[in-house]
Amino acid sequence: MRVHDSAIRSSTIAVGAGSTAATATATTATAAASVGTTGGAGNDERVGGTVRAALAVVCFSLSFPATVWALDGFGPWSSTGLRGLLAAALAAVCLRASRAPLPARRHWPGLAAVAVGCVLGFPLLTTLALQQSSTAHTAVVVGLLPLATAAASALRSRTRLSRTFWSAALGGAAVVLAFTLQQSGGAFSLADLYLFGALLVCAVGYAEGGRLAKELPGWQVIAWAALAAAPLTAVVAALALPAEPVQLTVRSLTGLAYIAAVSQFGGFVLWYRGMAQIGVPRASQLQLAQPLLTLGWAVLLLSETPSPAAPLTALGVLACIAVTQRAGRR
């Protein structure tokens, strides 16, 4: 199915394509420069971890436009299965080249959560949503992911975060949610339900991956998770390819290559390493900038038009990032 949905239209554009991308990039850079308080880590490590996590957010911000490109030639189930298989092949090469030892038995439950949430569940559910909704709408709904990740991490580690942190996180989520409801006429669609499911499974995968990255190299966390998910993604690809139309074009192959090599593997290498250095809650809040970046890419690559509400959302996101990066634990 060819996807060129640009559901969010407006007669006037508050910010142009270039300024939207520039604002979002500046947002990520600002967050990367912010240094919060994390238990015992040195200043250099905190800065490095923030930079890595911010670069990962930039990588992830292109995932939805790249998925739309992939859907030009592949069905949602086919593209999900193939991206998982290609990422697993890349992971296997890297693991073999580095002679990485097998993870300990205690690591496998967490790796399974990463596999189900980040390698299979999130890609499939967001791809299904992108068939029915615009890239911009999908991006702002997934803007709730930082709050979901912080909550999952806090529950998993029994960490008590400050009221300031939670107030800012909830504020950011409220801004994103209000933007989403305003754009969709105040009602949630089937695409939104797919996205809420994606948020839940991905938040667990992020939280588990960030925890594991404190014991394993970050790139090995996603590499082993991709290999663990390979049997499932192989079955999905084998069943879907004969059932869904396939049209090999430069656009569809480029999109598939990106979501497999970068969205499914390379971005996570930076992401989990950054999480391990600055903590899951603070790293997750950097993703508040991701919807803004994706909006910019949607304009530049897909010719979508952001609504006039985008600048207000940008200001709210900037404020929340600044607060959450500086909020301490109670």
Side-chain angles (χ1 to χ4, degrees), residues 120-138:
L120 186 60
F122 184 81
L124 177 60
L125 291 171
T126 52
T127 301
L128 290 171
L130 282 166
Q131 284 197 307
Q132 305 177 36
S133 181
S134 70
T135 304
H137 182 84
T138 300

Side-chain angles (χ1 to χ4, degrees), residues 80-81 83-93 95 102-105 107-121 212 216 219-236 264-265 272:
T80 301
R83 75 183 273 178
L85 279 179
L86 292 172
L90 180 60
V93 171
L95 288 169
L102 283 171
R105 182 178 297 179
H107 294 144
W108 282 106
L111 289 171
V114 176
V116 172
C118 301
V119 181
L120 186 60
L212 288 172
L216 297 172
W219 73 270
Q220 289 188 23
V221 173
I222 190 59
W224 287 115
L227 282 181
L232 288 175
T233 53
V235 170
V236 170
Q264 196 67 75
F265 187 71
Y272 283 141

Side-chain angles (χ1 to χ4, degrees), residues 128-200:
L128 290 171
L130 282 166
Q131 284 197 307
Q132 305 177 36
S133 181
S134 70
T135 304
H137 182 84
T138 300
V140 292
V141 174
V142 173
L144 294 173
L145 184 57
L147 175 60
T149 302
S153 175
L155 290 173
R156 178 68 174 83
S157 62
R158 299 181 180 179
T159 299
R160 299 183 68 189
L161 298 172
S162 69
R163 290 183 180 179
T164 302
F165 181 97
W166 282 113
S167 296
L170 288 170
V175 169
V176 172
L177 186 59
F179 179 86
T180 304
L181 290 175
Q182 188 267 333
Q183 295 302 306
S184 60
F188 295 120
S189 64
L190 178 60
D192 292 325
L193 297 180
Y194 282 139
L195 292 172
F196 291 143
L199 287 172
L200 291 176

Side-chain angles (χ1 to χ4, degrees), residues 9-14 305-308:
R9 299 289 180 185
S10 176
S11 59
T12 59
I13 304 176
T305 305
S307 77

